[in-house]
Amino acid sequence: MKALPERIDAHRMHGGWQYRYRHPSASTGTLMTYSVFVPPAAKDGRAPHVVYFLAGLTCNDLNFTQKSGAQRVAAELNLLLVMPDTSPRGDEVADDEGYDLGQGAGFYLNASQAPWSSHFRMYDYLSQELPGIINAQFAVSGRESVMGHSMGGHGALVMALRQPGRFRSVSAFAPIVSPSTVPWGKKAFTAYLGADEASWAAWDSCALLRDGSARPLPVLIDQGEDDEFLDSQLQPERLAQEAKARHWPLTLRRHAGYDHSYFFIASFVEDHLRFHAGYLNA
Amino acid sequence: MKALPERIDAHRMHGGWQYRYRHPSASTGTLMTYSVFVPPAAKDGRAPHVVYFLAGLTCNDLNFTQKSGAQRVAAELNLLLVMPDTSPRGDEVADDEGYDLGQGAGFYLNASQAPWSSHFRMYDYLSQELPGIINAQFAVSGRESVMGHSMGGHGALVMALRQPGRFRSVSAFAPIVSPSTVPWGKKAFTAYLGADEASWAAWDSCALLRDGSARPLPVLIDQGEDDEFLDSQLQPERLAQEAKARHWPLTLRRHAGYDHSYFFIASFVEDHLRFHAGYLNA
């Protein structure tokens, strides 16, 4: 018998509802928080498709909820948006002094190393537990897409690549596409997965494309050219090259002057939702 | 010789730029902060009109900047948005333990009472100093409108009513229209203006309409019916009645289910900007 998620916030918005929930998670062994935008009931009675948004380092479920402006477009397109938190949290949960490891920095994987392995199981949470909750809580179509930002862009890509057939499309703003080879990813993977780099490939988008197990799906990536992390942490063209070599439908757009912030996300989120709606409705 | 405002933040957004500035203010005798959205250059070369947004209690220049989604519409309509702070701030500035008095709660007036009168001169700042800075800093059309939320809805209405002819239109989300008769306003006016209520009328929208000095201009007010402050602090129908009695063009819309939050503002900000653009372009 599962405890129902507790609704801890509700706001009418764009004719629909912006909700926030908290629930005890079997995956992480902690209380987890997520936000949901439920679009207004469709005139033709169609159930909404679901789009997950995975946030970046230091964020939680509220950043995209408050700053993206996505709900306006989701209301128009009859999309139900789900914004999970970026990690387990709480006094009993391991943490690190850096902003890029521990609470707020779960990297959407299952940790194998102590002390992280007891709670940091975001992949199980997002691949199994949360979709089960959402599908039970709301009358949705059963079709899903996934998107994310930075660490959450990595999360969205890994979610889609590791679960062939689950998502109709995937998109990302300024994603970490090759975590095994950049400072953010090397620090996190060493801590969560251990020093043996052979275990990292299962959580690395570029490696997942190279190993041939992933099935092609439509990918949209937007990248700001004035993003301070572009050269050191992101380098999305590396994923674009892997995709091109395998004839994947990946579009990488570079935008002059844009940075890593939610002002960048807000500027292009409409394109992402229309991209997903196209494949979800097909 | 005036010090130029210092630019302390810049983000590309919706093809334009979201800026933040800080400058020493002659009006308040403090450093003041404001945000500006500059729309992309118009194809026809037209200079943008200016729309001011005045924020509510506890807010600063960033709430509307980050949460409203207004920049998307402003970019389309060629509007330059100005988001001022809600009060002077700093260690040398008087404050109160309550959220509804002192720093973050300037009520857009000139205080006459100690200790507030030395810095709390937001009306001078917004009626004279800041427009002078904006008009010098940016190539704007010279046409202005003003909008605001809650305490800032009061501010927008008072700004428009006290300066006949300056603004083409005024709009508000959940404004305090009769501060002289509600708890927020009575507390603030007693502190800033003194116990003699005769001095309050000059800063009260309903009173300014009644005294007959204000010149009619188009007014749009949106109010959420589930706003927790509706009955105790807001009561916008009081202003609508004063306006109706004088044949003013005031539209008051009530929205079932909406509350006092920025989720409400984000849901209707597009209507407000299109309303202002209609009069600014006329």
Side-chain angles (χ1 to χ4, degrees), chain A residues 28 30 87-98 101-106 111 113-120 191-192:
Chain A
T28 67
T30 65
S87 78
R89 298 180 192 268
D91 292 343
E92 77 283 16
V93 176
D95 205 358
D96 182 86
E97 289 186 358
L101 184 66
Q103 297 187 35
Q113 305 295 304
W116 312 104
S117 50
S118 43
H119 297 296
F120 282 76
Y192 294 140

PDB file of all heavy atoms in Angstrom, chain A residues 28 30 87-98 101-106 111 113-120 191-192:
ATOM      1  N   THR A  28      14.444   6.369  -3.484  1.00  0.00           N
ATOM      2  CA  THR A  28      15.501   7.119  -2.806  1.00  0.00           C
ATOM      3  C   THR A  28      15.451   6.941  -1.292  1.00  0.00           C
ATOM      4  O   THR A  28      16.403   7.316  -0.602  1.00  0.00           O
ATOM      5  CB  THR A  28      15.390   8.627  -3.114  1.00  0.00           C
ATOM      6  OG1 THR A  28      14.182   9.130  -2.515  1.00  0.00           O
ATOM      7  CG2 THR A  28      15.365   8.884  -4.613  1.00  0.00           C
ATOM      8  N   THR A  30      13.689   8.655   0.636  1.00  0.00           N
ATOM      9  CA  THR A  30      13.511   9.998   1.208  1.00  0.00           C
ATOM     10  C   THR A  30      12.152  10.539   0.780  1.00  0.00           C
ATOM     11  O   THR A  30      11.485   9.956  -0.076  1.00  0.00           O
ATOM     12  CB  THR A  30      14.579  10.982   0.682  1.00  0.00           C
ATOM     13  OG1 THR A  30      14.387  11.144  -0.736  1.00  0.00           O
ATOM     14  CG2 THR A  30      15.987  10.462   0.953  1.00  0.00           C
ATOM     15  N   SER A  87      17.634  15.772  -6.918  1.00  0.00           N
ATOM     16  CA  SER A  87      18.311  14.779  -6.072  1.00  0.00           C
ATOM     17  C   SER A  87      17.427  14.487  -4.871  1.00  0.00           C
ATOM     18  O   SER A  87      16.498  15.236  -4.584  1.00  0.00           O
ATOM     19  CB  SER A  87      19.660  15.313  -5.563  1.00  0.00           C
ATOM     20  OG  SER A  87      19.454  16.206  -4.483  1.00  0.00           O
ATOM     21  N   PRO A  88      17.767  13.407  -4.126  1.00  0.00           N
ATOM     22  CA  PRO A  88      17.190  13.292  -2.791  1.00  0.00           C
ATOM     23  C   PRO A  88      17.752  14.401  -1.905  1.00  0.00           C
ATOM     24  O   PRO A  88      18.827  14.933  -2.176  1.00  0.00           O
ATOM     25  CB  PRO A  88      17.682  11.918  -2.319  1.00  0.00           C
ATOM     26  CG  PRO A  88      18.909  11.649  -3.119  1.00  0.00           C
ATOM     27  CD  PRO A  88      18.704  12.325  -4.443  1.00  0.00           C
ATOM     28  N   ARG A  89      16.993  14.740  -0.867  1.00  0.00           N
ATOM     29  CA  ARG A  89      17.414  15.797   0.062  1.00  0.00           C
ATOM     30  C   ARG A  89      17.038  15.408   1.483  1.00  0.00           C
ATOM     31  O   ARG A  89      16.134  14.604   1.700  1.00  0.00           O
ATOM     32  CB  ARG A  89      16.722  17.125  -0.276  1.00  0.00           C
ATOM     33  CG  ARG A  89      17.055  17.675  -1.647  1.00  0.00           C
ATOM     34  CD  ARG A  89      16.333  18.994  -1.913  1.00  0.00           C
ATOM     35  NE  ARG A  89      16.432  19.384  -3.305  1.00  0.00           N
ATOM     36  CZ  ARG A  89      17.396  20.174  -3.801  1.00  0.00           C
ATOM     37  NH1 ARG A  89      18.317  20.653  -3.012  1.00  0.00           N
ATOM     38  NH2 ARG A  89      17.412  20.479  -5.087  1.00  0.00           N
ATOM     39  N   GLY A  90      17.708  16.027   2.443  1.00  0.00           N
ATOM     40  CA  GLY A  90      17.361  15.807   3.839  1.00  0.00           C
ATOM     41  C   GLY A  90      18.601  15.649   4.693  1.00  0.00           C
ATOM     42  O   GLY A  90      19.707  15.431   4.176  1.00  0.00           O
ATOM     43  N   ASP A  91      18.415  15.781   5.994  1.00  0.00           N
ATOM     44  CA  ASP A  91      19.540  15.682   6.926  1.00  0.00           C
ATOM     45  C   ASP A  91      20.224  14.321   6.855  1.00  0.00           C
ATOM     46  O   ASP A  91      21.422  14.202   7.105  1.00  0.00           O
ATOM     47  CB  ASP A  91      19.059  15.930   8.368  1.00  0.00           C
ATOM     48  CG  ASP A  91      18.611  17.367   8.573  1.00  0.00           C
ATOM     49  OD1 ASP A  91      18.970  18.225   7.742  1.00  0.00           O
ATOM     50  OD2 ASP A  91      17.896  17.630   9.552  1.00  0.00           O
ATOM     51  N   GLU A  92      19.441  13.281   6.517  1.00  0.00           N
ATOM     52  CA  GLU A  92      19.988  11.927   6.498  1.00  0.00           C
ATOM     53  C   GLU A  92      20.675  11.596   5.171  1.00  0.00           C
ATOM     54  O   GLU A  92      21.228  10.499   5.008  1.00  0.00           O
ATOM     55  CB  GLU A  92      18.867  10.918   6.766  1.00  0.00           C
ATOM     56  CG  GLU A  92      17.928  10.623   5.595  1.00  0.00           C
ATOM     57  CD  GLU A  92      16.879  11.711   5.317  1.00  0.00           C
ATOM     58  OE1 GLU A  92      17.041  12.847   5.816  1.00  0.00           O
ATOM     59  OE2 GLU A  92      15.927  11.414   4.574  1.00  0.00           O
ATOM     60  N   VAL A  93      20.638  12.535   4.218  1.00  0.00           N
ATOM     61  CA  VAL A  93      21.170  12.287   2.876  1.00  0.00           C
ATOM     62  C   VAL A  93      22.587  12.857   2.774  1.00  0.00           C
ATOM     63  O   VAL A  93      22.843  13.993   3.183  1.00  0.00           O
ATOM     64  CB  VAL A  93      20.251  12.943   1.813  1.00  0.00           C
ATOM     65  CG1 VAL A  93      20.846  12.790   0.407  1.00  0.00           C
ATOM     66  CG2 VAL A  93      18.856  12.330   1.880  1.00  0.00           C
ATOM     67  N   ALA A  94      23.497  12.051   2.221  1.00  0.00           N
ATOM     68  CA  ALA A  94      24.883  12.499   2.058  1.00  0.00           C
ATOM     69  C   ALA A  94      24.939  13.777   1.235  1.00  0.00           C
ATOM     70  O   ALA A  94      24.086  14.012   0.374  1.00  0.00           O
ATOM     71  CB  ALA A  94      25.704  11.406   1.371  1.00  0.00           C
ATOM     72  N   ASP A  95      25.938  14.591   1.492  1.00  0.00           N
ATOM     73  CA  ASP A  95      26.085  15.841   0.743  1.00  0.00           C
ATOM     74  C   ASP A  95      27.568  16.173   0.628  1.00  0.00           C
ATOM     75  O   ASP A  95      28.427  15.497   1.212  1.00  0.00           O
ATOM     76  CB  ASP A  95      25.306  16.970   1.431  1.00  0.00           C
ATOM     77  CG  ASP A  95      24.908  18.081   0.459  1.00  0.00           C
ATOM     78  OD1 ASP A  95      25.262  17.987  -0.735  1.00  0.00           O
ATOM     79  OD2 ASP A  95      24.246  19.029   0.887  1.00  0.00           O
ATOM     80  N   ASP A  96      27.831  17.233  -0.122  1.00  0.00           N
ATOM     81  CA  ASP A  96      29.197  17.672  -0.367  1.00  0.00           C
ATOM     82  C   ASP A  96      29.201  19.187  -0.315  1.00  0.00           C
ATOM     83  O   ASP A  96      28.183  19.828  -0.568  1.00  0.00           O
ATOM     84  CB  ASP A  96      29.637  17.185  -1.762  1.00  0.00           C
ATOM     85  CG  ASP A  96      31.071  17.554  -2.077  1.00  0.00           C
ATOM     86  OD1 ASP A  96      31.971  16.784  -1.686  1.00  0.00           O
ATOM     87  OD2 ASP A  96      31.295  18.607  -2.710  1.00  0.00           O
ATOM     88  N   GLU A  97      30.338  19.760   0.000  1.00  0.00           N
ATOM     89  CA  GLU A  97      30.411  21.223   0.075  1.00  0.00           C
ATOM     90  C   GLU A  97      30.251  21.883  -1.295  1.00  0.00           C
ATOM     91  O   GLU A  97      29.800  23.008  -1.395  1.00  0.00           O
ATOM     92  CB  GLU A  97      31.737  21.660   0.696  1.00  0.00           C
ATOM     93  CG  GLU A  97      31.816  21.353   2.189  1.00  0.00           C
ATOM     94  CD  GLU A  97      33.082  21.921   2.814  1.00  0.00           C
ATOM     95  OE1 GLU A  97      33.892  22.518   2.081  1.00  0.00           O
ATOM     96  OE2 GLU A  97      33.237  21.757   4.036  1.00  0.00           O
ATOM     97  N   GLY A  98      30.653  21.166  -2.360  1.00  0.00           N
ATOM     98  CA  GLY A  98      30.544  21.743  -3.695  1.00  0.00           C
ATOM     99  C   GLY A  98      29.098  21.771  -4.166  1.00  0.00           C
ATOM    100  O   GLY A  98      28.285  20.931  -3.767  1.00  0.00           O
ATOM    101  N   LEU A 101      27.994  18.377  -6.464  1.00  0.00           N
ATOM    102  CA  LEU A 101      27.958  17.002  -5.978  1.00  0.00           C
ATOM    103  C   LEU A 101      27.016  16.934  -4.782  1.00  0.00           C
ATOM    104  O   LEU A 101      26.964  17.857  -3.976  1.00  0.00           O
ATOM    105  CB  LEU A 101      29.369  16.549  -5.562  1.00  0.00           C
ATOM    106  CG  LEU A 101      29.498  15.074  -5.126  1.00  0.00           C
ATOM    107  CD1 LEU A 101      29.236  14.125  -6.298  1.00  0.00           C
ATOM    108  CD2 LEU A 101      30.896  14.802  -4.544  1.00  0.00           C
ATOM    109  N   GLY A 102      26.264  15.844  -4.697  1.00  0.00           N
ATOM    110  CA  GLY A 102      25.385  15.649  -3.546  1.00  0.00           C
ATOM    111  C   GLY A 102      24.017  16.265  -3.779  1.00  0.00           C
ATOM    112  O   GLY A 102      23.485  16.243  -4.886  1.00  0.00           O
ATOM    113  N   GLN A 103      23.445  16.833  -2.723  1.00  0.00           N
ATOM    114  CA  GLN A 103      22.077  17.346  -2.806  1.00  0.00           C
ATOM    115  C   GLN A 103      22.003  18.496  -3.820  1.00  0.00           C
ATOM    116  O   GLN A 103      22.811  19.409  -3.796  1.00  0.00           O
ATOM    117  CB  GLN A 103      21.595  17.780  -1.418  1.00  0.00           C
ATOM    118  CG  GLN A 103      21.536  16.590  -0.455  1.00  0.00           C
ATOM    119  CD  GLN A 103      20.918  16.912   0.892  1.00  0.00           C
ATOM    120  OE1 GLN A 103      19.987  17.713   0.977  1.00  0.00           O
ATOM    121  NE2 GLN A 103      21.424  16.272   1.932  1.00  0.00           N
ATOM    122  N   GLY A 104      21.036  18.405  -4.713  1.00  0.00           N
ATOM    123  CA  GLY A 104      20.916  19.363  -5.816  1.00  0.00           C
ATOM    124  C   GLY A 104      21.757  18.989  -7.027  1.00  0.00           C
ATOM    125  O   GLY A 104      21.791  19.731  -8.005  1.00  0.00           O
ATOM    126  N   ALA A 105      22.419  17.829  -6.962  1.00  0.00           N
ATOM    127  CA  ALA A 105      23.349  17.441  -8.041  1.00  0.00           C
ATOM    128  C   ALA A 105      23.344  15.922  -8.228  1.00  0.00           C
ATOM    129  O   ALA A 105      24.387  15.283  -8.276  1.00  0.00           O
ATOM    130  CB  ALA A 105      24.753  17.938  -7.715  1.00  0.00           C
ATOM    131  N   GLY A 106      22.175  15.331  -8.375  1.00  0.00           N
ATOM    132  CA  GLY A 106      22.058  13.875  -8.404  1.00  0.00           C
ATOM    133  C   GLY A 106      22.461  13.221  -9.712  1.00  0.00           C
ATOM    134  O   GLY A 106      22.651  12.005  -9.778  1.00  0.00           O
ATOM    135  N   ALA A 111      23.596   5.616  -7.890  1.00  0.00           N
ATOM    136  CA  ALA A 111      24.957   5.579  -7.350  1.00  0.00           C
ATOM    137  C   ALA A 111      25.269   4.181  -6.840  1.00  0.00           C
ATOM    138  O   ALA A 111      24.422   3.488  -6.276  1.00  0.00           O
ATOM    139  CB  ALA A 111      25.106   6.611  -6.234  1.00  0.00           C
ATOM    140  N   GLN A 113      28.376   3.764  -5.057  1.00  0.00           N
ATOM    141  CA  GLN A 113      29.422   3.949  -4.052  1.00  0.00           C
ATOM    142  C   GLN A 113      28.875   4.593  -2.786  1.00  0.00           C
ATOM    143  O   GLN A 113      28.072   5.527  -2.855  1.00  0.00           O
ATOM    144  CB  GLN A 113      30.529   4.854  -4.619  1.00  0.00           C
ATOM    145  CG  GLN A 113      31.113   4.377  -5.930  1.00  0.00           C
ATOM    146  CD  GLN A 113      31.836   3.047  -5.788  1.00  0.00           C
ATOM    147  OE1 GLN A 113      32.740   2.918  -4.978  1.00  0.00           O
ATOM    148  NE2 GLN A 113      31.409   2.047  -6.558  1.00  0.00           N
ATOM    149  N   ALA A 114      29.355   4.078  -1.627  1.00  0.00           N
ATOM    150  CA  ALA A 114      29.036   4.726  -0.359  1.00  0.00           C
ATOM    151  C   ALA A 114      29.708   6.097  -0.316  1.00  0.00           C
ATOM    152  O   ALA A 114      30.794   6.263  -0.880  1.00  0.00           O
ATOM    153  CB  ALA A 114      29.520   3.866   0.804  1.00  0.00           C
ATOM    154  N   PRO A 115      29.123   7.093   0.349  1.00  0.00           N
ATOM    155  CA  PRO A 115      27.842   7.046   1.064  1.00  0.00           C
ATOM    156  C   PRO A 115      26.642   7.329   0.163  1.00  0.00           C
ATOM    157  O   PRO A 115      25.523   7.396   0.642  1.00  0.00           O
ATOM    158  CB  PRO A 115      28.006   8.179   2.083  1.00  0.00           C
ATOM    159  CG  PRO A 115      28.792   9.219   1.320  1.00  0.00           C
ATOM    160  CD  PRO A 115      29.754   8.433   0.459  1.00  0.00           C
ATOM    161  N   TRP A 116      26.869   7.496  -1.129  1.00  0.00           N
ATOM    162  CA  TRP A 116      25.815   7.977  -2.024  1.00  0.00           C
ATOM    163  C   TRP A 116      24.783   6.908  -2.344  1.00  0.00           C
ATOM    164  O   TRP A 116      23.611   7.210  -2.615  1.00  0.00           O
ATOM    165  CB  TRP A 116      26.438   8.509  -3.319  1.00  0.00           C
ATOM    166  CG  TRP A 116      27.579   9.441  -3.056  1.00  0.00           C
ATOM    167  CD1 TRP A 116      28.921   9.156  -3.179  1.00  0.00           C
ATOM    168  CD2 TRP A 116      27.498  10.776  -2.568  1.00  0.00           C
ATOM    169  NE1 TRP A 116      29.663  10.250  -2.813  1.00  0.00           N
ATOM    170  CE2 TRP A 116      28.829  11.262  -2.435  1.00  0.00           C
ATOM    171  CE3 TRP A 116      26.439  11.627  -2.233  1.00  0.00           C
ATOM    172  CZ2 TRP A 116      29.116  12.549  -1.980  1.00  0.00           C
ATOM    173  CZ3 TRP A 116      26.730  12.908  -1.787  1.00  0.00           C
ATOM    174  CH2 TRP A 116      28.051  13.354  -1.652  1.00  0.00           C
ATOM    175  N   SER A 117      25.214   5.645  -2.363  1.00  0.00           N
ATOM    176  CA  SER A 117      24.352   4.588  -2.904  1.00  0.00           C
ATOM    177  C   SER A 117      23.084   4.364  -2.079  1.00  0.00           C
ATOM    178  O   SER A 117      22.117   3.794  -2.577  1.00  0.00           O
ATOM    179  CB  SER A 117      25.137   3.280  -3.014  1.00  0.00           C
ATOM    180  OG  SER A 117      25.800   3.006  -1.786  1.00  0.00           O
ATOM    181  N   SER A 118      23.052   4.824  -0.832  1.00  0.00           N
ATOM    182  CA  SER A 118      21.855   4.565  -0.026  1.00  0.00           C
ATOM    183  C   SER A 118      20.652   5.405  -0.455  1.00  0.00           C
ATOM    184  O   SER A 118      19.512   4.984  -0.263  1.00  0.00           O
ATOM    185  CB  SER A 118      22.149   4.772   1.468  1.00  0.00           C
ATOM    186  OG  SER A 118      22.921   5.925   1.669  1.00  0.00           O
ATOM    187  N   HIS A 119      20.872   6.583  -1.036  1.00  0.00           N
ATOM    188  CA  HIS A 119      19.730   7.432  -1.428  1.00  0.00           C
ATOM    189  C   HIS A 119      19.763   7.904  -2.881  1.00  0.00           C
ATOM    190  O   HIS A 119      18.718   8.192  -3.457  1.00  0.00           O
ATOM    191  CB  HIS A 119      19.656   8.664  -0.516  1.00  0.00           C
ATOM    192  CG  HIS A 119      19.400   8.332   0.924  1.00  0.00           C
ATOM    193  ND1 HIS A 119      18.243   7.739   1.363  1.00  0.00           N
ATOM    194  CD2 HIS A 119      20.181   8.496   2.028  1.00  0.00           C
ATOM    195  CE1 HIS A 119      18.291   7.568   2.675  1.00  0.00           C
ATOM    196  NE2 HIS A 119      19.462   8.006   3.108  1.00  0.00           N
ATOM    197  N   PHE A 120      20.944   8.025  -3.466  1.00  0.00           N
ATOM    198  CA  PHE A 120      21.044   8.642  -4.799  1.00  0.00           C
ATOM    199  C   PHE A 120      20.696   7.622  -5.876  1.00  0.00           C
ATOM    200  O   PHE A 120      21.564   7.029  -6.518  1.00  0.00           O
ATOM    201  CB  PHE A 120      22.445   9.241  -4.994  1.00  0.00           C
ATOM    202  CG  PHE A 120      22.604  10.560  -4.287  1.00  0.00           C
ATOM    203  CD1 PHE A 120      22.784  10.611  -2.915  1.00  0.00           C
ATOM    204  CD2 PHE A 120      22.534  11.764  -4.996  1.00  0.00           C
ATOM    205  CE1 PHE A 120      22.901  11.827  -2.243  1.00  0.00           C
ATOM    206  CE2 PHE A 120      22.647  12.978  -4.327  1.00  0.00           C
ATOM    207  CZ  PHE A 120      22.827  13.012  -2.957  1.00  0.00           C
ATOM    208  N   ALA A 191      32.624  10.029  -7.701  1.00  0.00           N
ATOM    209  CA  ALA A 191      31.993   9.885  -6.381  1.00  0.00           C
ATOM    210  C   ALA A 191      30.866   8.853  -6.414  1.00  0.00           C
ATOM    211  O   ALA A 191      30.809   7.949  -5.574  1.00  0.00           O
ATOM    212  CB  ALA A 191      31.460  11.237  -5.915  1.00  0.00           C
ATOM    213  N   TYR A 192      29.969   8.974  -7.374  1.00  0.00           N
ATOM    214  CA  TYR A 192      28.757   8.149  -7.376  1.00  0.00           C
ATOM    215  C   TYR A 192      29.019   6.727  -7.891  1.00  0.00           C
ATOM    216  O   TYR A 192      28.350   5.777  -7.482  1.00  0.00           O
ATOM    217  CB  TYR A 192      27.676   8.784  -8.254  1.00  0.00           C
ATOM    218  CG  TYR A 192      27.129  10.112  -7.761  1.00  0.00           C
ATOM    219  CD1 TYR A 192      26.850  11.134  -8.664  1.00  0.00           C
ATOM    220  CD2 TYR A 192      26.875  10.348  -6.409  1.00  0.00           C
ATOM    221  CE1 TYR A 192      26.329  12.362  -8.241  1.00  0.00           C
ATOM    222  CE2 TYR A 192      26.369  11.567  -5.971  1.00  0.00           C
ATOM    223  CZ  TYR A 192      26.096  12.561  -6.896  1.00  0.00           C
ATOM    224  OH  TYR A 192      25.593  13.768  -6.466  1.00  0.00           O
TER     225      TYR A 192
END
